[in-house]
Amino acid sequence: MNQVEVFVEIDAPPGAVWDALLSFDTYPEWDPIRRTIEGVAVDTAGREGSAEPADLTRLLDGPMAVTVDPHRRLGWLDRLVVPFAFDRYHEFHLVPIDDGERTRLLQRETVRGAFAPLTFDEGRVERAFVEMNDAIAARAERRTSASPIA
């Protein structure tokens, strides 16, 4: 089993970070890892902190959404055709800090299977996660600073 974890502290509340994560249609503009995300199963009503997602069966074209906890956690399993040949579990954890004004974001990927030692480049994945976390932070912080102060 191989695992990469990358943390970032974001100057925005978890709701703004969650919205940035769920803005799948904008990923091609900023995401250094994945250019497109299709087959979205996360109900966007969850973006406002309301109900559970309507459909947890598909997140991306291939991966299966396995964990959706609005404003807290998003995770999916991606596997090469045969189970345990190359299974990749990817997740985001959002933890409120500073009385919910800021967010600690964890992006983690766990890879296992017969092909994992041959295909998993931990250094490359870690660099990509740092870039993606920075991009998510920038998007969430821009949204927060653009919001009118109540």
Side-chain angles (χ1 to χ4, degrees):
M1 178 176 80
N2 300 67
Q3 188 173 73
V4 172
E5 292 184 336
V6 176
F7 291 87
V8 66
E9 290 190 4
I10 302 173
D11 292 325
V17 177
W18 184 256
D19 283 348
L21 281 173
L22 290 190
S23 296
F24 297 127
D25 57 332
T26 67
Y27 273 46
E29 300 168 17
W30 60 268
D31 178 16
I33 297 174
R34 204 177 282 282
R35 292 290 138 211
T36 60
I37 294 184
E38 299 173 358
V40 177
V42 180
D43 181 359
T44 56
R47 296 171 92 182
E48 301 301 324
S50 60
E52 289 293 312
D55 176 10
L56 296 180
T57 57
R58 304 303 286 176
L59 175 65
L60 309 174
D61 187 28
M64 302 287 293
V66 293
T67 305
V68 181
D69 185 359
H71 299 237
R72 298 182 55 140
R73 190 168 174 212
L74 174 64
W76 62 80
L77 175 65
D78 188 9
R79 68 173 27 139
L80 194 59
V81 180
V82 179
F84 306 112
F86 185 79
D87 291 351
R88 179 171 50 196
Y89 181 68
H90 195 100
E91 59 190 317
F92 295 93
H93 289 262
L94 291 73
V95 178
I97 55 176
D98 296 335
D99 294 324
E101 295 295 317
R102 299 177 67 233
T103 305
R104 180 173 294 120
L105 175 68
L106 161 66
Q107 184 173 186
R108 176 189 299 142
E109 188 161 272
T110 305
V111 178
R112 66 182 101 207
F115 295 116
L118 305 172
T119 60
F120 189 72
D121 181 343
E122 186 175 328
R124 183 182 58 79
V125 171
E126 185 172 342
R127 288 187 299 275
F129 284 6
V130 168
E131 288 179 34
M132 185 174 184
N133 283 1
D134 289 345
I136 292 167
R139 291 187 65 78
E141 289 168 357
R142 265 195 311 276
R143 285 180 179 207
T144 300
S145 66
S147 297
I149 299 175

